[in-house]
Amino acid sequence: MPNNPIPPSASNPADAFTRLLTVLDTLRTQCPWDKKQTMETLRHLTIEETYELSDAILDGDLDEIKKELGDLMMHLVFYARIASETNDFNITDVLNGVCDKLVNRHPHIYGDIEVENEEDVKRNWEQIKLKEGNKSVLAGVPSSLPALVKAARIQEKARGVGFDWEDKNQVWEKVEEELQEFKTEFNVADNMAIDLEKAESEFGDVLFSLINYARFININPENALEKTNKKFIKRFQYLETKAKENGKSLADMTLSEMDIYWNEAKKI
């Protein structure tokens, strides 16, 4: 017999959430590992779980998405449980807080504001955040975000208050301008010494303009690059496998020999 009765599976969201709270409360008070955790020790695990969810989404693996959502939900409840022990806040405060925020930032649903499209909604959202005390439109962009994601979020935030290009042709012209400036000043073909600090800055401008253009044609740059990463990994691993099957080492193969397997991988 177990030391504690196992809470039965639930048939509705409210009971399922209560089941999670019950299980976590039991673990927090009785499991040696769970008892020792703090918000700081959980932080890196939460980041890892978030990336695992991201991978599952990009892979289109719904079973894995469901599992990772559960893991993240558990983490969120865990943070609230820890905070409740010092009477700072509890899960009820967390849930009421986010509901209040959603109601306040959707006056076109819960108030008398009228909107015509998604852009109006985003614009209202940013204006309401400023009224709530945010000193800058960009204040809501976490400083620790990966640079690619941060650039996209910065641009979206600026667009929310009308600071944006008028059409995508202007944005592409900016991309071409930045590319040409970079190529002209840092063309490695002439073997001239390069100011790496300045080159890095200019290359950042190229990436920022490309991310901006991606936004205008509704491409998520982070998703796009990660999908390309995954594609490259699969093709390169195919190359490694085929080389091994033929008793060869990549280090001893010519680029032309490797291209044969690479092109095979592209056709799969």
Side-chain angles (χ1 to χ4, degrees):
M1 291 289 292
N3 294 328
N4 297 279
I6 300 174
S9 295
S11 58
N12 62 74
D15 288 345
F17 193 71
T18 299
R19 185 186 187 212
L20 173 59
L21 294 176
T22 301
V23 169
L24 192 57
D25 282 346
T26 300
L27 296 179
R28 179 64 172 171
T29 57
Q30 299 184 31
C31 173
W33 185 87
D34 290 275
K35 288 167 68 174
K36 292 182 63 175
Q37 299 314 304
T38 66
M39 290 190 182
E40 289 75 17
T41 62
L42 286 175
R43 176 181 173 274
H44 76 281
L45 298 175
T46 306
I47 293 172
E48 182 179 328
E49 294 293 353
T50 303
Y51 277 107
E52 289 178 357
L53 173 61
S54 175
D55 286 343
I57 291 172
L58 290 179
D59 292 339
D61 189 336
L62 292 177
D63 286 338
E64 193 66 17
I65 290 172
K66 179 178 69 174
K67 188 187 83 171
E68 297 303 338
L69 284 173
D71 290 342
L72 267 180
M73 187 72 71
M74 181 273 291
H75 277 244
L76 301 181
V77 170
F78 207 155
Y79 287 116
R81 176 64 169 80
I82 292 172
S84 71
E85 296 166 3
T86 53
N87 295 318
D88 288 298
F89 62 83
N90 57 36
I91 192 63
T92 303
D93 299 325
V94 171
L95 296 177
N96 280 330
V98 71
C99 287
D100 291 342
K101 180 172 70 174
L102 289 173
V103 169
N104 187 51
R105 294 186 185 177
H106 289 79
H108 55 290
I109 302 296
Y110 297 102
D112 55 6
I113 300 297
E114 295 184 3
V115 296
E116 294 184 2
N117 51 43
E118 176 190 0
E119 292 307 314
D120 285 349
V121 174
K122 291 181 179 179
R123 193 173 299 110
N124 285 340
W125 182 282
E126 295 301 337
Q127 291 173 350
I128 292 170
K129 288 180 67 175
L130 289 175
K131 291 179 181 178
E132 291 174 347
N134 282 19
K135 295 181 179 180
S136 168
V137 169
L138 304 182
V141 180
S143 59
S144 58
L145 274 181
L148 186 66
V149 179
K150 185 189 291 186
R153 292 297 292 141
I154 287 171
Q155 293 167 6
E156 290 170 0
K157 294 285 187 181
R159 182 183 187 183
V161 292
F163 187 78
D164 204 4
W165 299 91
E166 293 180 355
D167 63 69
K168 64 182 179 182
N169 291 326
Q170 295 174 312
V171 185
W172 185 249
E173 288 175 3
K174 184 62 175 176
V175 171
E176 292 182 321
E177 176 188 326
E178 296 291 356
L179 282 169
Q180 187 57 49
E181 287 180 3
F182 187 80
K183 180 179 180 182
T184 300
E185 190 159 1
F186 305 106
N187 188 350
V188 296
D190 58 13
N191 294 320
M192 296 291 289
I194 289 178
D195 183 333
L196 289 180
E197 185 174 346
K198 186 175 182 181
E200 184 180 71
S201 176
E202 294 294 339
F203 187 69
D205 291 344
V206 172
L207 290 178
F208 195 84
S209 63
L210 279 171
I211 292 169
N212 213 0
Y213 187 74
R215 178 172 57 85
F216 263 78
I217 57 176
N218 295 317
I219 290 176
N220 183 302
E222 172 69 18
N223 289 351
L225 182 58
E226 182 56 17
K227 288 177 180 178
T228 295
N229 288 340
K230 289 178 176 292
K231 180 170 60 178
F232 183 91
I233 289 171
K234 287 182 179 179
R235 291 176 180 176
F236 192 82
Q237 289 177 339
Y238 176 88
L239 168 63
E240 290 177 314
T241 299
K242 297 302 291 186
K244 186 175 181 180
E245 288 176 355
N246 289 276
K248 298 180 179 179
S249 168
L250 293 184
D252 298 326
M253 294 172 63
T254 65
L255 186 58
S256 296
E257 290 175 321
M258 288 189 281
D259 275 343
I260 295 174
Y261 298 134
W262 184 264
N263 288 328
E264 287 180 6
K266 290 171 65 176
K267 296 177 181 179
I268 297 176

